[in-house]
Amino acid sequence: MSGALQARIDVGFDADFRLDVEFDVPPGTTVALLGPNGAGKSTVVAALAGLVPIDRGRVVLDGVVLVDTEQGLALPAEERQVGVVFQDYVLFPHLSVVENVAFGLVARGAGRAAARRSARNALPEFGLDGLGDRKPAELSGGEAQRVALARALVTQPALLLLDEPLAALDVTTRADLRHLLSDHLADFSGPRILITHDPTEAFLLADEIYVIENGAVTQHGSAEDIRLRPQTPYAADLAGANLLVGEASDGLVTVASHRLAIADTAASGRVLATVHPRAISLHRRQPEGSPRNTWRTAIRRVEHYGDRVRIQVGDPLRLTAEVTPRAVDALGLSVGDSVWVSIKATEISASPE
Amino acid sequence: MRSRTPWPLVALAVAAVLLFALPLFGLLVRTPWSGLGEILGSEVARDALWLSLVTSLGATIVALILGLPLAWLLARIEFPGRALVRGLVLLPLVLPPVVGGAALLFTFGRRGLIGGPIDELTGLVLPFSTWGAVLAATFVAMPFLVITMEGALRNLDTRYEGAASTLGAGRWMVLRRVTLPLVAPSLAAGLVLTWARALGEFGATITFAGNLQGRTQTLPLAVFVALESDRDVAVALSLVMVAISLTVLVALRHRWWGAS
């Protein structure tokens, strides 16, 4: 497929850690590599960009072989058409915003003056008007992220790599930047890879998700697949969080005409509400107690994962609850049964979408 | 709670300060202020000033050309014998300069290890020439540049260089537009230190290059000679060296004492 990325990467750092992953990314598709810190995700970025050598493997981008260890071939970083938004952005501290953005154009052969002109013209598209002469130290986290994105995209690379692009930002900025990122990802026609440890980011931005743990891919599928059918405890724990999009006002979030009480009374407008499966309780009879949210529904699915059971409940809100096998036995829960769901308002976190 | 002033420590500290300050004061008291212009305008003084300028700047340039690549290799490349090379670089710092000068003489002298072949091939005789004075100054001063730059390059976040190469910059452009600008403050400090050390060089120069007015007699050598013949000249030239040293200190104060 023209434009696609096919990668098989095997890098051994020492006897204790080896990264061995394989994935394909079609053009116009965003793939998230989701995993805990230290899983080897950033090494994938460095390997694809040509910043660390690969022991064994083959990387083909848009029909161009970047690496083929069997043929002893490895294109140097500067000859790859790979745009990278680095973790913490790594903007050149001694250069202005315009010079940072123009850097890649100059490196690829444009004249200084022409490169600066193109860079300056590209700034508004990234919401950077009027910031061209600032130094990176004078930028907010969100601005720095946009400069990093502009710097990577302005050279029109064949592949875009984003290494934890939102991790350094506070919650509100993160939501804005996620939208900007989402727009730019949609405009970029090549394959895109998003490295993240945040399942929300992966679910919202990626078409496909690869879960990476200890240097290996442990699960691969759509956000839906991973959310509903996590295959490892890590995936279940992190990627299994319930995500709900709704409208918030006065300490309530309305999701598909169902109202949930939340602790944050200041939240308003479109929000992303998340509830961890462990925070959801199931009852046979109507519970009486402090939880503000209780309703009656039916069990749609019951899945066992060792010492935990994930139970999916149906309308009005499809949520996954995590309970112990003992609780399942004691309550005699099975598919089709009617149960009461309860969630404490304080267990629902709402952030601007 | 305020701690009590430890008077015995203060007394010793004051003694230490006096040890530094009194000689400076002694020099100023002894300075022939009225005849200063005339003395510094004399041929001996002008020759010495000029030679000091030429040899110290020459040594700084050679140290930059040879020392910067060495610093880069030491900081970035793992190679067998790196610890040994680092030790060799440090040696001139602890070696008495006279011994360094003698070693240079046995090596680059007319009958030295490679001085003979150099003489036969090119007719260039290093000892007792201005080039010899440059070589002697380089030998003692280059470690300052290498050490400063090795530290700076080692502390530089290599991700900047990585980012530059993903943007299409080749090795040369990365060096020119990213690495060197980022280590520029250290480079400036290293160059000043190197230059100051070269300017003050005495032992290795007098041993290897001799003490020939207009050829190898730099300021420190001229001071040494003048002490025997004309003390006013010695004091005047010393004052020049003090002024230069103070200027270096002022220029580098931020590096040593932080911003203040």
Side-chain angles (χ1 to χ4, degrees), chain A residues 227-281:
Chain A
R227 203 132 52 97
L228 298 178
R229 286 174 289 280
Q231 279 162 19
T232 66
Y234 165 76
D237 201 45
L238 211 76
N242 294 293
L243 296 178
L244 303 164
V245 180
E247 201 77 32
S249 68
D250 296 330
L252 289 173
V253 179
T254 310
V255 185
S257 80
H258 185 89
R259 286 183 175 186
L260 285 172
I262 58 173
D264 181 4
T265 52
S268 70
R270 300 270 293 170
V271 293
L272 195 72
T274 52
V275 191
H276 198 278
R278 280 194 301 261
I280 300 176
S281 313

Side-chain angles (χ1 to χ4, degrees), chain A residues 243-325:
Chain A
L243 296 178
L244 303 164
V245 180
E247 201 77 32
S249 68
D250 296 330
L252 289 173
V253 179
T254 310
V255 185
S257 80
H258 185 89
R259 286 183 175 186
L260 285 172
I262 58 173
D264 181 4
T265 52
S268 70
R270 300 270 293 170
V271 293
L272 195 72
T274 52
V275 191
H276 198 278
R278 280 194 301 261
I280 300 176
S281 313
L282 301 177
H283 314 260
R284 268 301 187 186
R285 278 182 286 279
Q286 180 166 15
E288 289 175 8
S290 63
R292 303 276 318 284
N293 301 297
T294 57
W295 69 90
R296 197 174 181 182
T297 181
I299 294 178
R300 294 186 67 233
R301 197 199 296 265
V302 177
E303 281 167 338
H304 291 259
Y305 296 95
D307 57 356
R308 300 174 203 186
V309 181
R310 291 171 68 85
I311 295 180
Q312 219 188 100
V313 296
D315 296 331
L317 294 177
R318 294 197 175 183
L319 296 173
T320 301
E322 198 173 282
V323 295
T324 60

Side-chain angles (χ1 to χ4, degrees), chain A residues 84-86 89-91 143-153:
Chain A
V84 188
V85 173
F86 289 90
Y89 316 131
V90 195
L91 299 176
E143 288 161 355
Q145 198 257 20
R146 301 199 299 263
V147 175
L149 193 60
R151 183 177 70 172
L153 284 176

Side-chain angles (χ1 to χ4, degrees), chain A residues 78 87 91-92 94 104 108, chain B residues 159-160 165-166 169 177 181-182:
Chain A
E78 66 265 26
Q87 194 168 5
L91 299 176
F92 304 123
H94 59 295
R108 306 246 184 238
Chain B
R159 295 189 311 158
Y160 291 117
S165 62
T166 66
R177 292 216 47 211
L182 287 176

Side-chain angles (χ1 to χ4, degrees), chain B residues 175-192:
Chain B
L175 183 72
R176 203 165 42 84
R177 292 216 47 211
V178 178
T179 315
L180 287 181
L182 287 176
V183 297
S186 296
L187 185 58
L191 286 173
V192 171

Side-chain angles (χ1 to χ4, degrees), chain A residues 18-301:
Chain A
R18 168 164 292 281
L19 173 82
D20 189 354
V21 294
E22 185 169 355
F23 50 86
D24 288 0
V25 189
T29 306
T30 304
V31 158
L33 304 183
L34 175 65
N37 290 326
K41 299 177 307 249
S42 287
T43 306
V44 176
V45 169
L48 290 174
L51 299 177
V52 299
I54 296 173
D55 292 342
R56 271 193 307 278
R58 187 175 149 88
V59 179
V60 182
L61 173 62
D62 194 12
V64 179
V65 179
L66 300 187
V67 182
D68 189 334
T69 50
E70 273 178 30
Q71 292 178 27
L73 182 118
L75 275 188
E78 66 265 26
E79 288 172 29
R80 302 183 185 193
Q81 304 288 323
V82 177
V84 188
V85 173
F86 289 90
Q87 194 168 5
D88 308 324
Y89 316 131
V90 195
L91 299 176
F92 304 123
H94 59 295
L95 300 180
S96 69
V97 166
V98 163
E99 288 165 332
N100 264 282
V101 177
F103 192 96
L105 297 170
V106 175
R108 306 246 184 238
R112 279 274 183 105
R116 289 176 66 102
R117 234 181 353 263
S118 319
R120 208 173 272 281
N121 290 340
L123 295 184
E125 191 189 331
F126 294 88
L128 293 167
D129 336 11
L131 300 181
D133 298 320
R134 296 250 188 111
K135 287 283 174 65
E138 300 161 349
L139 299 174
S140 71
E143 288 161 355
Q145 198 257 20
R146 301 199 299 263
V147 175
L149 193 60
R151 183 177 70 172
L153 284 176
V154 80
T155 56
Q156 297 180 320
L159 166 69
L160 181 61
L161 301 175
L162 304 149
D163 192 355
E164 302 276 8
L166 302 170
L169 305 171
D170 60 69
V171 179
T172 1
T173 326
R174 203 177 293 180
D176 292 345
L177 265 284
R178 199 169 56 222
H179 284 293
L180 183 95
L181 201 55
S182 172
D183 293 345
H184 281 286
L185 287 179
D187 290 345
F188 181 74
S189 59
R192 321 128 184 173
I193 294 179
L194 169 73
I195 304 284
T196 182
H197 69 274
D198 180 352
T200 315
E201 233 171 271
F203 292 152
L204 290 173
L205 293 171
D207 305 300
E208 268 180 78
I209 296 175
Y210 285 75
V211 179
I212 296 188
E213 294 169 67
N214 291 320
V217 175
T218 52
Q219 189 173 0
H220 161 218
S222 69
E224 196 73 358
D225 288 341
I226 291 175
R227 203 132 52 97
L228 298 178
R229 286 174 289 280
Q231 279 162 19
T232 66
Y234 165 76
D237 201 45
L238 211 76
N242 294 293
L243 296 178
L244 303 164
V245 180
E247 201 77 32
S249 68
D250 296 330
L252 289 173
V253 179
T254 310
V255 185
S257 80
H258 185 89
R259 286 183 175 186
L260 285 172
I262 58 173
D264 181 4
T265 52
S268 70
R270 300 270 293 170
V271 293
L272 195 72
T274 52
V275 191
H276 198 278
R278 280 194 301 261
I280 300 176
S281 313
L282 301 177
H283 314 260
R284 268 301 187 186
R285 278 182 286 279
Q286 180 166 15
E288 289 175 8
S290 63
R292 303 276 318 284
N293 301 297
T294 57
W295 69 90
R296 197 174 181 182
T297 181
I299 294 178
R300 294 186 67 233
R301 197 199 296 265

